[in-house]
Amino acid sequence: MVGKITMVPSAIIDQACALLAQGQAVAIPTETVYGLAADAIQDRGVAAVYALKNRPIFNPLIIHVPTLEAAAEVAVLTPQALDFAHHFWPGPLTLVLKRTAHSSISQLASGGLETVAIRVPAHPIMQTLMRAYQKPLAAPSANRSNHISPTTPDHVRASFGDQTPFIVDGGPCVVGVESTIIDMTGEVPTLLRPGFVTPEMIQEILGVQVINGLNGPLKAPGMMKRHYAPTRPLRINALPSGDTQEAYIGFGPTQMSCTFNLSFTGCLIEAAARLFSMLHQADRPPFTSIAVAPIPTDGLGLAINDRLQRAAAMAL
Ligand code: TXA
Ligand code: MG
């Protein structure tokens, strides 16, 4: 993993808790991307998140809790889900589970579904905040809908401008792409969004085969085709055009002239951590368009290619 995690004073955590309790949205660091958090029990806070992001309310949010025990209060963990949780929590894995009968999670947060997407983030500052607040936090990525996901506080400010919420600064995010989402409510675990935890890792560690639901009917409601989009045209799997106004994002040791390089050594972990940051840098003057080199599709490359394809898609 790359990147540096900064610590925050307890006064910042107290202030964040006070705002959350008032039903306000707060930007928080996680190991994947910055989230826009609200108290997941209060419709008011959840509504503030949807409004600030300009997000359709049928697109449910991920619920963040500090421990497996806290997850079990709001969702049903089947034996297989417990296996996943024991191995990958805290960490960049979200499980879609059935709500418990007495689940206190706001219906607005879970889009009125019988299921709920839950994760236990590993980021130490987020852990401190969740333990201090003692209630689940609903948190989508801290950007306006369809903008590039934020991996630094500056990205959050760039997306929200004068509507920027209070930000708990945790430094740059080490993983850089959103959590893997796996639906555990069907007969077999189904991948709804690729991320740092890959089906290969799950197969190797748990001996469980995860089926690919990326193009199937079970899709996560928020996995719209155009999602992680820069404002400039984007070519993927591309060679440089030679146009100096095109930002060319390379990958690996290459003789080609690159404006940026996701990883000079060809490391997919480093590339994922830098992906959104480089798209942000390429999506400003003097550049008028963006092109990205081919990225291998194995392991974490699946998640990187998934984000790039969505960013490049021309229509909703
Ligand atoms: O890494 C992450 O997961 C980040 C950080 C902040 O934790 N959060 C994040 O949240 O990416 P968001 O809201 O941008 O993504 C939520 C995804 C959407 O694609 C949504 O459709 C899906 O989770 N989702 C939420 N609840 C679901 C459910 N009950 N069933 C299926 N998909 C669900
Ligand atoms: Mg998002």
Side-chain angles (χ1 to χ4, degrees):
M1 300 241 181
V2 288
K4 180 172 142 277
I5 290 171
T6 49
M7 289 319 290
V8 291
S10 59
I12 301 282
I13 299 290
D14 292 347
Q15 194 173 348
C17 288
L19 291 167
L20 290 166
Q22 286 163 23
Q24 294 197 42
V26 173
I28 47 91
T30 81
E31 69 276 35
T32 57
V33 299
Y34 272 77
L36 187 64
D39 182 329
I41 317 271
Q42 278 190 52
D43 282 340
R44 194 164 135 218
V46 174
V49 165
Y50 281 109
L52 203 52
K53 271 190 72 96
N54 196 15
R55 176 177 176 123
I57 54 167
F58 57 78
N59 184 3
L61 310 177
I62 292 177
I63 308 302
H64 299 65
V65 288
T67 59
L68 203 160
E69 292 69 33
E73 286 182 16
V74 292
V76 181
L77 282 133
T78 58
Q80 191 171 50
L82 275 172
D83 267 357
F84 277 62
H86 279 132
H87 282 88
F88 295 106
W89 283 352
L93 175 69
T94 296
L95 298 176
V96 174
L97 304 165
K98 292 215 163 68
R99 287 171 68 106
T100 51
H102 58 276
S103 181
S104 52
I105 301 299
S106 142
Q107 287 286 349
L108 188 57
S110 58
L113 299 172
E114 295 286 292
T115 55
V116 61
I118 305 236
R119 90 178 187 96
V120 176
H123 195 293
I125 294 171
M126 181 60 171
Q127 274 286 336
T128 306
L129 176 66
M130 290 184 301
R131 284 165 198 267
Y133 193 60
Q134 295 188 342
K135 279 188 265 170
L137 297 176
S141 49
N143 53 278
R144 293 207 198 265
S145 272
N146 300 338
H147 284 206
I148 306 168
S149 292
T151 55
T152 65
D154 275 348
H155 296 159
V156 179
R157 285 186 276 269
S159 193
F160 292 113
D162 59 11
Q163 287 191 293
T164 300
F166 182 73
I167 303 175
V168 178
D169 187 341
C173 303
V174 292
V175 172
V177 290
E178 297 86 344
S179 60
T180 306
I181 304 182
I182 298 191
D183 185 346
M184 302 298 294
T185 63
E187 277 179 15
V188 273
T190 305
L191 180 69
L192 300 185
R193 180 173 74 182
F196 186 83
V197 176
T198 61
E200 291 97 316
M201 281 162 74
I202 294 167
Q203 172 79 60
E204 200 175 306
I205 296 169
L206 301 179
V208 174
Q209 203 184 346
V210 170
I211 64 165
N212 188 333
L214 297 181
N215 303 311
L218 275 173
K219 262 193 294 193
M223 292 299 278
M224 291 173 241
K225 207 164 177 214
R226 186 179 168 93
H227 194 90
Y228 305 89
T231 57
R232 286 159 177 67
L234 170 69
R235 299 187 300 126
I236 57 176
N237 295 317
L239 291 170
S241 65
D243 175 353
T244 53
Q245 287 184 306
E246 179 179 78
Y248 185 71
I249 303 180
F251 176 80
T254 167
Q255 303 302 317
M256 281 181 282
S257 105
C258 303
T259 324
F260 306 101
N261 194 316
L262 284 167
S263 169
F264 288 105
T265 59
C267 167
L268 288 169
I269 295 177
E270 184 180 35
R274 295 166 75 168
L275 177 67
F276 289 134
S277 210
M278 283 192 177
L279 285 175
H280 274 279
Q281 289 177 61
D283 197 21
R284 7 180 130 113
F287 308 114
T288 53
S289 61
I290 309 170
V292 186
I295 312 290
T297 52
D298 58 308
L300 194 46
L302 184 66
I304 298 174
N305 278 289
D306 171 79
R307 303 311 189 269
L308 284 171
Q309 278 156 17
R310 283 172 209 289
M314 288 314 290
L316 275 175

